Amino acid sequence: DGGITQSPKYLFRKEGQNVTLSCEQNLNHDAMYWYRQDPGQGLRLIYYSQIVNDFQKGDIAEGYSVSREKKESFPLTVTSAQKNPTAFYLCATSARGDHEQFFGPGTRLTVL
Amino acid sequence: AQSVSQHNHHVILSEAASLELGCNYSYGGTVNLFWYVQYPGQHLQLLLKYFSGDPLVKGIKGFEAEFIKSKFSFNLRKPSVQWSDTAEYFCAVNAFFSSNTGKLIFGQGTTLQVKP
C-alpha cells in the first residue's frame, strides 16, 4: 500500500523539550517537504529536501531541524528554540520533475 | 516576495447553491497552479491542477477552475454544492525561479460549510 506515513497522529510535549516528528514514504519520490498549518494562515514551508543528504530551509525554518539520510525518511525535530511550536505539521512528497505534492495525514503537536 | 491570496476565509452555502472561491497570486513568471481540499479528519488531497494548455481545468467531484493570466487569478467553481463538500480549500502556486526548483506557496485557506 503506497503512501506517506506520519507518526504519531497526536503528540504532547512539555515546554523546553525537543521532539521529533516522523515522516516515511514508499512512493519512491525524490523530494520531501515539511509544512506547518495554523488556522487562518494556510500551510507554511519549514524545510524541504530534493535528494538524499541535502535539504534547504523554507520560509519558517527557525527553531526546526531536519535530516535526510534515507530516501524514504525525512524526520523533523522541533527544538526548544521554536517560540510557538503548537501546530499541525504536514509532510509531503513529490516525484522528480513533477510539481504536484502528495500529503501525509499530519501530526498535531501540542506543547504544554 | 511571492504570495497567494484567497479572498474568502469562511463561506457558508446551502446545498445546490453555486460556489466560487477566489485565488490571486503575485508572480509574473511561469506558474503551476493547484487547488487542494482537506475534508474533516482526512489528508490534504488534490482537487485539480493547471500546468499549461486550456485555462479551464476540470477536477474531481465536479469542481473546475479557470486560470486568467492577465488577472493573476485561479478561481475555483462548482455549479451545485453538496453537504459532502464541507471542507477547507487551499489554493497553491508553484513559481519557477532561476533554479527551477519551484516551491509551493499556499493561500490562507477557505473554510466551506454547506448546510443540508
Side-chain angles (χ1 to χ4, degrees), chain B residues 22-109:
Chain B
C23 174
N24 285 90
Y25 62 94
S26 63
Y27 183 66
T30 303
V31 292
N32 291 339
L33 299 158
F34 304 84
W35 275 97
Y36 282 87
V37 61
Q38 191 172 37
Y39 297 105
Q42 294 190 27
H43 296 205
L44 201 68
Q45 58 185 278
L46 184 70
L47 261 183
L48 46 79
K49 61 186 177 184
Y50 172 80
F51 283 5
S52 63
D54 188 345
L56 185 61
V57 180
K58 296 199 183 296
I60 61 171
K61 304 187 180 185
F63 285 90
E64 65 178 31
E66 186 175 11
F67 170 49
I68 303 179
K69 190 174 182 180
S70 61
K71 294 185 178 180
F72 300 92
S73 70
F74 191 55
N75 292 355
L76 181 71
R77 300 194 292 248
K78 186 171 183 178
S80 176
V81 295
Q82 301 172 313
W83 176 79
S84 58
D85 293 324
T86 294
E88 190 159 16
Y89 293 80
F90 294 94
C91 179
V93 173
N94 194 321
F96 288 83
F97 307 110
S98 57
S99 62
N100 205 32
T101 56
K103 294 195 306 182
L104 205 57
I105 302 166
F106 283 83
Q108 307 93 317

Side-chain angles (χ1 to χ4, degrees), chain A residues 4 9 33 35 37-38 40-43 45 48 50 57-59 88 90 98-105, chain B residues 9 32 34 36 38 41-44 46 49 51 88 90 94 96 100-109:
Chain A
I4 303 166
K9 188 172 182 179
Y33 311 80
Y35 292 91
Q37 184 179 1
D38 296 282
Q41 297 193 55
L43 279 69
L45 183 64
Y48 63 105
Q50 294 182 302
K57 292 181 178 180
D59 300 317
F88 189 51
L90 286 165
D98 187 355
H99 298 286
E100 177 182 344
Q101 293 183 19
F102 296 83
F103 286 82
Chain B
H9 297 297
N32 291 339
F34 304 84
Y36 282 87
Q38 191 172 37
Q42 294 190 27
H43 296 205
L44 201 68
L46 184 70
K49 61 186 177 184
F51 283 5
E88 190 159 16
F90 294 94
N94 194 321
F96 288 83
N100 205 32
T101 56
K103 294 195 306 182
L104 205 57
I105 302 166
F106 283 83
Q108 307 93 317

Side-chain angles (χ1 to χ4, degrees), chain A residues 5-87:
Chain A
T5 305
Q6 289 187 246
S7 60
K9 188 172 182 179
Y10 298 97
L11 190 55
F12 296 88
R13 278 295 182 269
K14 291 183 179 179
E15 195 172 339
Q17 290 181 333
N18 291 357
V19 59
T20 298
L21 280 60
S22 166
C23 178
E24 303 281 331
Q25 55 109 352
N26 61 4
L27 300 171
N28 200 33
H29 285 174
D30 288 297
M32 298 186 74
Y33 311 80
W34 273 107
Y35 292 91
R36 171 183 171 136
Q37 184 179 1
D38 296 282
Q41 297 193 55
L43 279 69
R44 292 179 290 167
L45 183 64
I46 303 172
Y47 267 97
Y48 63 105
S49 166
Q50 294 182 302
I51 55 172
V52 175
N53 292 323
D54 188 44
F55 48 83
Q56 288 79 39
K57 292 181 178 180
D59 300 317
I60 55 165
E62 186 175 349
Y64 299 99
S65 65
V66 294
S67 63
R68 186 85 187 276
E69 296 176 2
K70 299 186 299 181
K71 187 175 185 178
E72 302 79 19
S73 179
F74 191 41
L76 173 75
T77 297
V78 184
T79 75
S80 56
Q82 167 50 232
K83 297 279 187 270
N84 186 19
T86 294

